[in-house]
Amino acid sequence: MPARTARLWPLGLVAALAWFGLGALTLAWPNEPAGFSDWTFTTEFGLAALAVGALLLVPALAGRARTGRVGARLVHAGRWLVALPLLLALWEVFTAKLGVLPPPFFAPPQSLIDVAVEDWPRLGLSTAHSVRLLAHGFLLGALAGFVTGVWIGWSRAAGYWVHPVLRFLGPVPASALLPLAFFFAPSSYAAAVFLIGLATFFPVAVLAWSGVASVNRQYYDVARTLGASEWFLVLRVAVPAALPQVFVGLFMGLGASFSVLVTAEMMGVKAGLGWYLQWAQGWAAYANMYAALIVMAVLCSGLITLLFTVRDRVLSWQKGTVKW
């Protein structure tokens, strides 16, 4: 009997019970009328919670040893698996069940299912537009910033003439140039790409310059002794040594470019998640607005995670030194 108990995952049992409780609460407690018949997808949300509880019950009874890597990850996330249904239950109670948080400004969790089922074409298309716009602006800005930073760090002339300009104009928020960009650019899309690229350009350029300028001069001396050319020094000595700082600049630029992306889509671009947010707010579709915010959070977090994965592969000798 003690051996059997040791194989159990106690926190997993608590998590399964919490999800079962969320499902039972959702299904058994009638919704508070809110100016219409009922919140749709309430039954589906309750059944989904029961299904999650049933899925968690399997590794909880089997134990970590029998579920392998998946079980290890579930054990690591055990506290969140308990906290999440409790938070969802509070959300459900204060919105759908008691109506303490007034609609339409506050919608229950099942409203997100409604948005995903009923409005997925518009939300999916908006996400695709945002990803395309972000990719164009971020890649162009990162490339220009990297080349400029390496140039400033390597060339004394560029350091003398370009570096002061970068220090003077770089800290200006890219969103402050929104009116000028939309006036001079041939299209609103081109203006948005320019602003996103500008938000990415400054941190990448500054940190690439800092990385190149901080390279130990003895490395250059040794390479020159072995007959290295100037291009070899730049591409095989300066750039690899500056890559840790460059990736920090890319991380900072990605965050800045995402904020500019949303602002540009709200102001001028007629597509994307920023446009979707403004459209949902205009129609008082707050459930759609919350769904778009969740998609934004997942998208931004996923892109930063991807960036750090690339960093750990490129800079394998520094894997884990910067956490995300």
Side-chain angles (χ1 to χ4, degrees), residues 90-299:
L90 289 176
W91 184 3
E92 178 75 13
V93 168
F94 283 109
T95 53
K97 304 307 180 184
L98 296 179
V100 175
L101 301 176
F105 304 103
F106 298 95
Q110 56 263 37
S111 64
L112 300 179
I113 303 177
D114 189 9
V115 175
V117 173
E118 301 294 338
D119 203 37
W120 68 265
R122 184 186 289 114
L123 184 57
L125 186 61
S126 298
T127 305
H129 278 289
S130 291
V131 170
R132 185 184 67 168
L133 179 58
L134 182 66
H136 287 166
F138 179 76
L139 292 177
L140 290 175
L143 179 61
F146 175 74
V147 172
T148 304
V150 173
W151 183 37
I152 295 173
W154 182 258
S155 171
R156 290 185 178 181
Y160 180 82
W161 292 105
V162 182
H163 183 221
V165 177
L166 186 66
R167 292 182 61 181
F168 180 70
L169 296 178
V172 177
S175 56
L177 302 177
L178 195 68
L180 291 176
F182 279 104
F183 179 79
F184 287 105
S187 66
S188 59
Y189 187 85
V193 169
F194 169 76
L195 292 172
I196 294 170
L198 188 63
T200 307
F201 170 85
F202 176 64
V204 175
V206 169
L207 286 163
W209 159 73
S210 176
V212 172
S214 62
V215 175
N216 193 330
R217 294 296 171 182
Q218 294 180 356
Y219 297 160
Y220 297 136
D221 295 336
V222 172
R224 288 192 181 98
T225 303
L226 297 174
S229 64
E230 291 295 308
W231 280 109
F232 184 92
L233 294 176
V234 173
L235 299 177
R236 302 299 297 273
V237 179
V239 169
L243 282 180
Q245 287 93 329
V246 170
F247 273 101
V248 175
L250 290 173
F251 166 72
M252 297 172 62
L254 184 59
S257 64
F258 206 88
S259 62
V260 174
L261 165 76
V262 176
T263 304
E265 289 178 338
M266 284 183 170
M267 297 296 293
V269 180
K270 302 302 181 182
L273 290 172
W275 170 87
Y276 187 90
L277 273 176
Q278 194 173 38
W279 169 84
Q281 185 180 10
W283 285 95
Y286 290 95
N288 298 65
M289 187 178 70
Y290 298 144
L293 290 173
I294 292 175
V295 171
M296 284 182 181
V298 172
L299 179 61

